[in-house]
């Protein structure tokens, strides 16, 4: 803002004029100082423009901070999601490892056939690979957080149960992108006023002090002048260009609001879709998954179902849980975008 009061360099000069008054009588030595100023109103317009630049820069900084926070929040909840998946696959991996071992022992004892043995081994191998991938996903999610935080020191991430993020009310008029465009509009208006002010004349002040060695006494001269822009076609073109740019910013602001509202509607539609999946799990799926698992364990123990039916029941049970975790993660990622909506 202080740069608004930017003055030309002060000119300090010395002149020597021989035979200044004729008849070879003395030499006139003159010391002078000169300074040019823009028209006073130009500095006021410049100050307003610089303040508008500060407001615009602050709005841009806020958006960058918001984007960074969004990225970190999203990465944090993605990490919690991968940890939850890892726990599920860890349990399944342990379960199928036990089944594979038991199936192998039963085959050796002649209590089961070869098909059951190789099926148990195949399922155990599949779950082992899925569990390994789940652990790698956790590591990748952690690396993503590290790349955002950029800490010089090692850190750990607190683990928490994955829950639904609360959806906040969002006023589009208070959206940071809209505020930035408003700030840019104010800045352009201020720049247009500055360009208009430059059509006004500059002011020049000059004071000089002279002495002639042939006479006693001195000569003081004070001069005030105006620098009038007679050839102002280029400056008028700058004013016109600034007005055109203002129209562009206005149309961009209108388009931004429309695109922002459309994105908000799309995200709400996605949120409703994911919420339906969560509602199913919370009202039916969770109890159904628990019932399938409980019944399968009891039926297999009592010999009411064979090994293949048992495996299929367990897969169905945990597939419901994994589907719930996926829907919950997608729901949370969508809420994060809606809570800090920006294009």
């Amino acid at each position: 803002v202080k740069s608004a009061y930017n003055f030309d360099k002060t000119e300090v000069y010395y002149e020597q004029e021989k035979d200044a008054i004729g008849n070879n009588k003395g030499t006139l030595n003159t010391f002078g100082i000169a300074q040019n100023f823009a028209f006073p109103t130009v500095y006021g317009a410049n100050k307003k423009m610089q303040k508008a630049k500060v407001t615009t820069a602050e709005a841009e900084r806020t958006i960058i901070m918001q984007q960074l926070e969004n990225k970190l929040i999203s990465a944090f909840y993605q990490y919690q999601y991968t940890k939850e998946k890892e726990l599920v696959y860890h349990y399944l991996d342990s379960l199928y490892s036990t089944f594979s071992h038991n199936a192998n022992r039963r085959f050796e004892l002649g209590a089961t056939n070869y098909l059951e043995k190789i099926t148990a081994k195949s399922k155990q191998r599949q779950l082992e690979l899925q569990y390994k991938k789940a652990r790698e996903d956790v590591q990748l999610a952690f690396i993503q957080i590290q790349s955002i935080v950029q800490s010089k020191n090692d850190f750990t991430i607190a683990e928490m149960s994955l829950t639904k993020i609360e959806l906040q009310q969002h006023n589009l008029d208070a959206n940071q992108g809209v505020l930035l465009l408003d700030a840019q509009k104010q800045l352009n208006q201020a720049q247009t006023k500055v360009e208009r002010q430059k059509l006004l004349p500059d002011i020049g002040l000059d004071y000089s002090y002279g002495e002639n060695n042939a006479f006693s006494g001195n000569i003081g001269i004070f001069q005030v002048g105006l620098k009038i822009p007679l050839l102002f076609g280029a400056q008028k073109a700058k004013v016109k260009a600034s007005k055109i740019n203002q129209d562009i910013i206005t149309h961009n602001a209108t388009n931004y609001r429309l695109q922002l509202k459309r994105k908000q509607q799309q995200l709400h539609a996605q949120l409703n879709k994911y919420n339906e999946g969560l509602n199913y799990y919370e009202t039916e799926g969770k109890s159904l998954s628990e019932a399938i698992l409980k019944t399968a364990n009891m039926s297999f123990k009592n010999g009411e179902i064979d090994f293949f039916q048992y495996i299929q029941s367990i897969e169905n049970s945990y597939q419901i849980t994994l589907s719930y975790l996926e829907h919950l993660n997608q729901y949370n990622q969508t809420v994060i975008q809606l809570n800090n909506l920006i294009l």
Side-chain angles (χ1 to χ4, degrees), residues 81-310:
Y81 164 63
T82 58
K83 288 294 293 182
E84 293 272 3
K85 278 180 61 179
E86 182 190 24
L87 290 175
V88 173
Y89 280 114
H90 176 63
Y91 174 81
L92 291 175
D93 178 63
S94 300
L95 185 65
Y96 279 103
S97 294
T98 303
F99 286 162
S100 178
H101 175 75
N102 292 340
N104 188 58
R105 286 293 299 156
R106 289 173 59 177
F107 175 75
E108 291 175 352
L109 296 173
T112 186
N113 55 40
Y114 182 69
L115 179 60
E116 181 175 316
K117 173 190 171 181
I118 61 173
T119 301
K121 184 63 178 177
S122 173
K123 286 292 182 181
Q124 184 270 327
R125 184 58 180 157
Q126 289 178 20
L127 264 297
E128 183 182 357
L129 292 174
Q130 288 177 312
Y131 176 47
K132 181 180 179 181
K133 180 180 180 301
R135 284 184 296 170
E136 291 172 349
D137 288 342
V138 172
Q139 186 60 26
L140 289 172
F142 182 76
I143 292 172
Q144 176 65 15
I145 293 177
Q146 284 181 316
S147 69
I148 300 170
V149 176
Q150 299 179 7
S151 174
K152 294 180 180 179
N153 303 318
D154 293 334
F155 61 89
T156 57
I157 302 173
E159 294 182 19
M160 53 173 276
S161 298
L162 197 62
T163 56
K164 292 170 70 173
I165 301 175
E166 183 179 353
L167 180 63
Q168 301 171 2
Q169 295 296 324
H170 188 78
N171 182 9
L172 292 184
D173 291 331
N175 181 271
Q176 292 300 327
V178 173
L179 295 178
L180 173 60
L181 286 168
D182 289 341
Q184 289 175 342
K185 185 177 180 180
Q186 295 298 323
L187 173 59
N188 187 261
Q189 290 175 347
Q191 288 172 332
T192 303
K193 290 180 181 179
V194 169
E195 297 298 339
R196 283 203 190 101
Q197 292 291 325
K198 288 181 180 179
L199 291 169
L200 297 173
D202 291 345
I203 299 173
L205 301 179
D206 191 329
Y207 174 76
S208 60
Y209 173 85
E211 293 180 344
N212 192 315
N213 55 13
F215 298 93
S216 61
N218 54 68
I219 300 173
I221 300 174
F222 180 71
Q223 178 178 290
V224 179
L226 294 177
K227 295 183 177 181
I228 301 173
L230 297 178
L231 305 175
F232 48 78
Q235 189 58 37
K236 287 186 71 176
K238 288 182 180 180
V239 174
K240 186 177 180 180
S242 186
K243 288 180 179 179
I244 293 172
N245 192 46
Q246 190 167 331
D247 291 337
I248 293 173
I249 292 174
T250 300
H251 286 298
N252 284 343
T254 301
N255 180 63
Y256 185 89
R257 285 175 179 269
L258 290 173
Q259 295 296 333
L260 195 66
K261 191 169 184 179
R262 186 171 300 169
K263 183 177 180 179
Q264 186 185 49
Q265 291 172 342
Q266 289 174 344
L267 289 173
H268 272 293
Q270 290 180 14
L271 198 66
N272 291 334
K273 179 180 67 176
Y274 300 138
N275 199 37
E276 287 179 4
L278 295 179
N279 288 337
Y280 161 74
Y281 180 83
E282 292 165 357
T283 56
E284 298 180 48
K286 184 178 181 180
S287 58
L288 187 61
S289 174
E290 293 172 351
I292 291 173
L293 188 60
K294 182 179 179 180
T295 305
N297 285 326
M298 186 178 297
S299 299
F300 184 68
K301 185 177 181 180
N302 296 331
E304 297 174 1
I305 59 175
D306 60 22
F307 176 76
F308 300 103
Q309 291 174 315
Y310 180 59

